[in-house]
Amino acid sequence: KISKEEANKDFNLKNLKDSDDISQIDWEDKLSFLENNEDKYCLIDLFKKIFIINPKKRISAKEILKHKWFTI
C-alpha cells in the first residue's frame, strides 16, 4: 500500500539542474478519475519513477513490470 505522502515524497521540482524530475505535475488532479486512492497513489509512484531525466536513475522496463501497479 502506498500512501499519498509516500507517492508525493521528493517530487517537488526545484529546477531541472538540481532535480531528476521532468516537471512538477499535479498527478492527483490528472488521475482524479481513479476513485480508489490506493490505486491512484500507486500509479503516481510509478509515474514518478518513469519520468526521470537521468536514464541511470530511471526505472527499467523489468522493474516497471514488477511495480505494484501491475499487481493490483
Side-chain angles (χ1 to χ4, degrees):
K1 181 176 177 180
I2 297 174
S3 68
K4 176 181 178 179
E5 292 77 24
E6 187 178 356
N8 289 314
K9 182 178 146 188
D10 299 327
F11 200 63
N12 293 323
L13 181 66
K14 295 176 185 172
N15 64 51
L16 288 177
K17 294 177 186 173
D18 296 332
S19 175
D20 289 322
D21 299 320
I22 289 177
S23 64
Q24 197 168 21
I25 298 172
D26 184 355
W27 291 113
E28 285 197 63
D29 181 55
K30 296 204 179 296
L31 300 174
S32 61
F33 63 90
L34 289 172
E35 294 180 10
N36 182 321
N37 281 338
E38 184 177 345
D39 292 350
K40 185 186 314 182
Y41 301 135
C42 188
L43 187 55
I44 289 170
D45 179 68
L46 177 61
F47 284 163
K48 284 176 24 183
K49 292 174 179 176
I50 290 173
F51 297 124
I52 293 187
I53 293 172
N54 184 338
K56 292 179 181 179
K57 294 183 178 181
R58 189 180 311 133
I59 192 172
S60 71
K62 286 182 182 180
E63 292 170 321
I64 289 170
L65 293 175
K66 292 178 184 175
H67 190 273
K68 292 176 187 176
W69 173 254
F70 293 103
T71 62
I72 292 177

